[in-house]
Amino acid sequence: MSGGPLAPRVLEALVESLDRERFERALVGIVPAKDKTASSAGEKVGATGAVRGDAASGPTPAAAQVLSKILLADVLDETILAARPGDPSFPLRMLLGELGEAIDDDVAFALASGLSFYFRVEMDDEATMRLGIEVSRLYYRFAAERPLEKDLVREASPLLARLMSAQVQRLRFESVDAAGVFDSGLHERVQTSDATRAAIRAPKSFLCRVVSNGMVRAKALVQT
């Protein structure tokens, strides 16, 4: 995945090409209907508030297992999945809940799929960084289109950046939600920006730095 103008649309194009019903039917043929892992994973997703309804109205076991994996229920720690109000990880749990509630939306599905791919596939730091930046762009797009409460985004962004940083050794992601003024050393304007404005209206991606020296590896996209 490159940093060019085509990169943000890669996951969206994948989502648009899917026949959802055909995809689910294929999954039913692959995953055993009484797979115990599906049951336990589904319970974890329930802890995020992402999946609702009883057995009669809920997803099939195969669909529940896939959904739980897409929402990272088998990857994330219980300190996130079972976080309560006041816990440091609670904003992340709220974000996952919002993502699960909106999973039928293409942007939400693309973000969830991108996060799942990011945390499951081993890559070198460069590839992981490029994917991470695109996933962060989907995150901010999802936050704007959902729309998520500003307080939730402000609290969840640095937590998500820190969580994603655990996948890279020599780099780290940072949110720039608290930045108010455009800095050409840290930020890059998106095409819809007003180049005459210095005030940042909205962040559009994470910043990435080199851990050893703090140098900027990838500037954060912002709208001014």
Side-chain angles (χ1 to χ4, degrees):
M1 192 173 286
S2 68
L6 186 61
R9 300 185 177 276
V10 172
L11 288 174
E12 297 172 42
L14 174 61
V15 171
E16 291 173 1
S17 69
L18 287 175
D19 181 329
R20 299 282 182 86
E21 293 183 0
R22 183 178 179 184
F23 180 57
E24 183 171 330
R25 288 198 301 270
L27 288 172
V28 172
I30 296 173
V31 183
K34 297 183 179 180
D35 192 330
K36 294 181 180 180
T37 303
S39 176
S40 60
E43 290 173 0
K44 282 190 176 182
V45 175
T48 70
V51 177
R52 299 187 178 185
D54 54 26
S57 60
T60 64
Q65 183 181 26
V66 173
L67 181 60
S68 72
K69 287 181 175 295
I70 289 177
L71 294 175
L72 305 175
D74 62 329
V75 172
L76 297 180
D77 191 271
E78 286 295 328
T79 58
I80 295 174
L81 297 178
R84 300 180 65 82
D87 292 345
S89 299
F90 187 68
L92 276 180
R93 178 185 173 182
M94 292 292 292
L95 173 61
L96 289 173
E98 291 283 351
L99 193 57
E101 291 286 348
I103 200 68
D104 285 342
D105 175 76
D106 283 352
V107 175
F109 186 73
L111 171 58
S113 299
L115 283 168
S116 183
F117 187 85
Y118 178 86
F119 285 106
R120 294 180 192 283
V121 180
E122 292 187 8
M123 298 174 285
D124 59 31
D125 272 12
E126 180 68 16
T128 304
M129 182 272 291
R130 290 178 180 271
L131 177 59
I133 292 297
E134 300 308 329
V135 167
S136 73
R137 293 183 69 173
L138 281 169
Y139 160 65
Y140 283 113
R141 179 175 172 182
F142 170 71
E145 294 185 6
R146 173 69 173 162
L148 300 182
E149 294 183 3
K150 291 182 179 180
D151 287 346
L152 173 58
V153 176
R154 186 182 66 253
E155 294 173 357
S157 294
L159 296 177
L160 180 60
R162 192 179 309 147
L163 187 66
M164 292 174 62
S165 295
Q167 295 298 105
V168 284
Q169 296 181 355
R170 294 179 293 277
L171 303 170
R172 72 171 180 266
F173 293 105
E174 297 178 4
S175 66
V176 297
D177 297 57
V181 179
F182 180 82
D183 182 340
S184 61
L186 303 175
H187 311 132
E188 182 177 342
R189 289 184 173 92
V190 294
Q191 291 183 350
T192 55
S193 295
D194 180 349
T196 65
R197 291 173 57 98
I200 295 176
R201 296 170 58 190
K204 296 297 181 180
S205 78
F206 288 156
L207 174 76
C208 185
R209 292 184 186 272
V210 178
V211 173
S212 61
N213 54 25
M215 291 184 61
V216 174
R217 182 63 183 81
K219 296 180 181 180
L221 295 173
V222 298
Q223 185 172 23
T224 59

